[in-house]
Amino acid sequence: MNFRINCIFVGILFCTGFLFSQERTVTPLDSVYLTDSKLKEYSTGRDVLTLSDSILRQNRALLTNTLNFNTPIYFKENGLGMVSSPSFRGTTASQTAVLWNGININSQFNGQLDFNTINTGAYSEISVRGGGGSVVYGTGAIGGSVHLNTTLSFEKLQEHNLFLQYGSYNTRDARYHFKLGTDQWSLNLALSRNSSNNDYEYPNGGENLNGQFENTALNVGLGFKINNKNSIRIFSEIFDGERHFSLIRASETATKYQDLNSKNLLEWESRFGDFTSITRVAYLDEYYKYFGNLNYDSFTFGRAKTFIAKYDLSYSVADNVTLNTVLTNTNTTGEGSSLGENDRNIFAAALLMKHQLGSDFKYELGFRKEATANYESPFLFSVGATKDFSEFFSLNVNASRNFRIPTYNDLYWSSAGNPDLLPEKSLQGQLGAVFNYNSLRLTITGYYNSVTDMIRWLPGSDGVWRPVNEDEVQIYGLESGLNWSKTFKNKHRFSLNATYAYTISENKETGYQLIYVPFHKATAGLNYNYKRLHTNLQFLYVGAVFTRSDNNSRYNLDAYTVGNFSLGYRLGKSEQFELGGRINNFLDAEYQSVENRWMPGRNYTMYLNFKL
């Protein structure tokens, strides 16, 4: 009944916006459209790191590698291409939200996203925003958020980009990107395929057994301008992947995992006078099979179907003041081998405001409340401000309350789920400084985050593990980013990108650092271009991590440094071809980010990039 009422309410607002659109003058729609507009409009008081398509091509196809070498996020990876989970600002894997064109796509089953099930070749742009974002993006946005976006260009163009790569361990990577558009409609299509035998050698002489994987992703964006005040956009993605899980010992049973995920989003934007109305309808289908023994056809499975209705109404009160209301209804039906079949409906209402005071100061406010029968949702807020003291120096501040809801596994796991769980809650603040001088940009951000009611699975008196609201964690640290570029004599172009993160994430009761959270992580990327020649040098440093909750240093994973080098040369009259190669881990470092899960040593790839 609540679901029907909420849908009717959204529908009424939809129709009201349509009626208004018949009466007011309009502002022409933008020529380049990013559906996740909130990323730019409501990130006051924080820094957003955006990775361009050229950076994406400089890394392996899977998202883990791209973010690991270019952002402060730490990843624990069960071997190359295997299960990969993030720790963003010292939080757990399920406390990082992942947004696809503004829609939260964290798993309904475990609350997190496996970053090795995302192929970067399917997206136009990938952005990373540190700090809480639950007011805008909902559950999980505690440590930060990762944004996967498809852009639409309403301008006359036709572009083809084909990227082919082959490397060690029979690794194959193909990415095709096609853009076609006019001033009235736009098409963005991305197709990617990645596979590998993944049979690299271990430092102790063994081999990565049963580690092969393959995946295919198709992402399509289509937009059409009906007139100067109305436009329709459709986004759709399919990901089909299969992985065999690497064995620690040859005597272990070989397993594999298959997943088929689809995402679909329909948008109608209407502008009328000082109002902008956007109605969104989305359908997400998450489906996996786990084969516990490759010698048998039997498997366990899970499937979640999610319907989202979202109404976004923005009103320009004045040239420098904007109000924004967002109403969202999310209905999920989930089933699985150990879950049975369960429904969950969540209605959320958010109010946002941004205000520009003069040319050097702006601030924003945000509030959100959710209603559901499955748990008691907290009242969320966010406040942020930025002050420019000069063209060289600015300060920003942000504070927020955020949360993560219990997952399907937490609530409904057979004989172990806990329907009385509370959402995890977070209260955090950050202060940052930005320095700009010529072509150099330096950002420094300090933050504090208190997380309560953290969900842990603990053994009960009957020996059965069940989820409970147990831990309280305090997190504080420092993040910094450096960007610099310079051209000498119109021939030699250098650019440098670097990040550093210092993180304390400790259990309030014991004072121990959480496992798999390094105190130090740093990245650096140096690019050099001379005429048709291009080189890139990457470094990743990760400090030692604890693997035991009592911080017993005997079981620490050692710090490591990994370096990659690439060299490319552009061919053709218009330089539409680029032929090149890469040396991955050229230092031949022996390292692991998860205990007993070694990563590959020195290995090689060759690539061809064709642009038309």
Side-chain angles (χ1 to χ4, degrees), residues 40-252:
K40 178 181 179 180
E41 295 172 358
Y42 290 96
S43 292
T44 305
R46 66 189 76 209
D47 203 45
V48 177
L49 174 62
T50 299
L51 306 179
S52 64
D53 56 353
S54 60
I55 292 179
L56 301 183
R57 286 193 296 270
Q58 291 171 5
N59 296 270
R60 296 183 188 271
L62 301 181
L63 185 57
T64 295
N65 186 267
T66 300
L67 297 183
N68 210 13
F69 277 88
N70 295 280
T71 74
I73 306 175
Y74 168 74
F75 287 89
K76 51 180 182 179
E77 192 175 8
N78 290 351
L80 181 65
M82 300 297 102
V83 174
S84 172
S85 54
S87 176
F88 199 165
R89 290 190 175 181
T91 60
T92 64
S94 55
Q95 292 170 347
T96 296
V98 181
L99 289 305
W100 171 79
N101 291 311
I103 301 297
N104 193 313
I105 59 171
N106 284 44
S107 171
Q108 297 292 330
F109 297 109
N110 59 17
Q112 58 187 266
L113 188 79
D114 183 345
F115 280 69
N116 276 336
T117 63
I118 297 294
N119 193 314
T120 59
Y123 306 101
S124 307
E125 176 185 287
I126 296 177
S127 299
V128 174
R129 189 176 86 157
S134 290
V135 167
V136 177
Y137 296 113
T139 179
I142 293 178
S145 52
V146 176
H147 303 256
L148 314 172
N149 292 316
T150 300
T151 59
L152 293 175
S153 299
F154 290 95
E155 55 188 0
K156 188 175 181 179
L157 64 89
Q158 180 175 332
E159 296 180 359
H160 299 265
N161 195 114
L162 178 63
F163 180 80
L164 301 173
Q165 186 169 229
Y166 181 80
S168 303
Y169 326 121
N170 194 30
T171 300
R172 304 177 184 185
D173 178 15
R175 315 178 201 179
Y176 172 66
H177 207 158
F178 174 58
K179 295 181 180 180
L180 183 66
T182 68
D183 59 356
Q184 188 174 15
W185 59 272
S186 175
L187 172 66
N188 189 330
L189 183 149
L191 177 64
S192 54
R193 168 76 175 177
N194 184 229
S195 65
S196 179
N197 292 348
N198 207 26
D199 51 354
Y200 55 89
E201 294 183 356
Y202 288 163
N204 59 10
E207 183 179 297
N208 187 41
L209 300 175
N210 196 57
Q212 60 266 39
F213 62 83
E214 60 181 12
N215 59 76
T216 303
L218 173 64
N219 197 325
V220 179
L222 178 63
F224 179 72
K225 290 184 178 181
I226 302 173
N227 50 44
N228 284 336
K229 58 187 177 184
N230 290 281
S231 66
I232 293 177
R233 293 174 290 271
I234 300 172
F235 300 91
S236 185
E237 179 186 336
I238 297 176
F239 178 90
D240 184 10
E242 177 175 301
R243 285 181 298 179
H244 291 218
F245 288 147
S246 299
L247 308 179
I248 296 178
R249 292 173 293 274
S251 59
E252 293 179 330

Side-chain angles (χ1 to χ4, degrees), residues 435-442 482-485:
F435 303 88
N436 287 288
Y437 181 74
N438 292 334
S439 56
L440 184 144
R441 185 175 191 269
L442 173 65
L482 175 68
N483 298 276
W484 171 82
S485 62

Side-chain angles (χ1 to χ4, degrees), residues 29 51 57 63 65 138 140 216 261 264 273 294-295 300 320 371 376 378 400 422 496 505 525 572:
L29 297 170
L51 306 179
R57 286 193 296 270
L63 185 57
N65 186 267
T216 303
N261 301 322
N264 303 276
L294 293 185
N295 296 319
T300 58
N320 59 347
E376 181 63 32
S400 60
L422 301 173
L496 173 66
S505 180

Side-chain angles (χ1 to χ4, degrees), residues 107-111 286 288 302-304 334-335 339 407-410:
S107 171
Q108 297 292 330
F109 297 109
N110 59 17
E286 176 186 358
Y288 74 85
R303 187 168 193 176
E335 60 177 328
L339 294 171
T407 67
Y408 262 69
N409 290 357
D410 296 330

